[in-house]
Amino acid sequence: MITERECDFIANDLYPTRSWLRRHYNFGKARTDCHSVYHLACGISAMSQLVPPTIGYFLGKEVYGNTYILIVGPSTESRKGAAISIVERGLRLVYPQVVCDQPDSPAKLVDLLIENPKRLIIYEEFGDFLAASERGYLSPLRPRLTNLYDGCPVSRATVGKTKDKAATVVAFPRLSILGGSTQDHLERYTLSIDYGGGFMGRLMTFKADRERTYPPDTLQRDLVEEFQ
C-alpha cells in the first residue's frame, strides 16, 4: 500500500515544478486529512478531460486519455468524499460542461456524449451504482462503459421532423469516471469475472488508510484560481 511519503515524492519530485497536478496535490493535502493518494487520483481524473479528444499514443493499439478511477476507503473516516469534492467543485467552476449527471441508461449516456464528447461522470457513492447495475435496471450500462473506455465510437439514431432516421455519431468519445467506494460494497456487488475482463478491470483503484488527522478546512480559497 502506498504511503503519504511516497505520494509526496511522486507529486513534488517527479511531477514538473509548474505542473497543475503538483499544485492540486498540495492544495488538497493542505485542506483535507484524507490520504494523499486520493488527491493524486482525483487530479489525474481531472487532467483526463484537459487532453484533446483526438490525441493518443500507440501501445499495441491506439490509447486515449479516458480514465476510470476508483478511490476506496471506509465511509466517513477515509474522507474520500472531500478529495472528490475539490475536483468536482473546481471543474464545475471553470469547465462545467464536462461534469455530467449520472446516466440512467445507455441511451442517456450516448446523448450526453453527443452534447459534448468529453465527459466526466462522478460517483461519490460508487457502491450505489454497483448495486443498481449488478442485475438491476442499470445493468446494460456496464458493457457500454466497458466499450467506451477503449474510445470506441458510439452512435444513436435520431428522428427528425421528416421522420427520417439519421445516425448521430460520436467518433472520439472521451469519457472518464471518478468514483468513491467502500471495500464492503466492492466485495458485495462484484465478482472475480468483473475484474478479469469486465468493467471493473478498467478501473484504476486506489486504496489507503488515513495517516493524518485534523479538522477539514472550509475551502475558502478561490477554486477558480486553483484550476486555471
Side-chain angles (χ1 to χ4, degrees):
M1 184 179 297
I2 192 169
T3 66
E4 293 233 343
R5 184 176 180 180
E6 291 168 332
C7 290
D8 288 342
F9 173 74
I10 292 171
N12 295 315
D13 291 290
L14 298 185
Y15 287 167
T17 303
R18 299 182 64 184
S19 166
W20 177 85
L21 283 171
R22 176 187 285 199
R23 289 172 51 202
H24 170 77
Y25 173 85
N26 290 301
F27 176 84
K29 185 174 180 179
R31 284 156 178 78
T32 67
D33 56 0
C34 66
H35 197 284
S36 299
V37 75
Y38 293 165
H39 298 305
L40 291 179
C42 291
I44 292 170
S45 184
M47 285 293 293
S48 72
Q49 290 302 306
L50 304 180
V51 179
T54 56
I55 289 182
Y57 62 93
F58 190 76
L59 188 65
K61 64 176 182 178
E62 202 72 20
V63 178
Y64 297 98
N66 303 16
T67 61
Y68 290 6
I69 288 178
L70 182 64
I71 60 177
V72 180
S75 180
T76 306
E77 179 185 344
S78 66
R79 307 273 203 271
K80 57 186 182 293
I84 293 174
S85 177
I86 292 174
V87 161
E88 180 175 10
R89 290 176 61 188
L91 284 175
R92 287 191 183 278
L93 283 171
V94 302
Y95 203 4
Q97 61 268 37
V98 304
V99 184
C100 64
D101 296 332
Q102 298 171 8
D104 56 9
S105 68
K108 178 61 176 178
L109 177 58
V110 174
D111 286 344
L112 290 169
L113 290 170
I114 289 172
E115 293 173 8
N116 183 5
K118 297 175 66 174
R119 290 290 194 177
L120 173 64
I121 306 174
I122 296 177
Y123 293 95
E124 191 166 329
E125 296 296 337
F126 194 69
D128 293 343
F129 170 77
L130 292 176
S133 63
E134 183 184 27
R135 295 185 181 86
Y137 71 98
L138 288 181
S139 58
L141 262 179
R142 286 203 192 189
R144 177 53 64 90
L145 290 170
T146 301
N147 291 333
L148 280 167
Y149 176 84
D150 297 322
C152 299
V154 293
S155 64
R156 186 176 184 190
T158 58
V159 180
K161 294 181 179 180
T162 61
K163 305 299 182 181
D164 293 330
K165 288 188 177 181
T168 302
V169 179
V170 183
F172 296 100
R174 294 295 164 259
L175 178 69
S176 293
I177 294 174
L178 174 61
S181 178
T182 66
Q183 185 169 330
D184 290 341
H185 277 101
L186 291 181
E187 294 174 352
R188 169 63 181 83
Y189 295 114
T190 60
L191 300 172
S192 59
I193 192 173
D194 293 321
Y195 296 89
F199 171 60
M200 295 300 296
R202 270 71 176 172
L203 287 163
M204 186 186 305
T205 304
F206 297 80
K207 182 181 183 299
D209 296 323
R210 189 155 54 103
E211 297 181 19
R212 294 171 292 118
T213 302
Y214 54 80
D217 191 87
T218 56
L219 288 177
Q220 292 298 319
R221 179 184 290 191
D222 186 0
L223 285 175
V224 174
E225 179 183 351
E226 182 60 25
F227 272 73
Q228 286 178 343

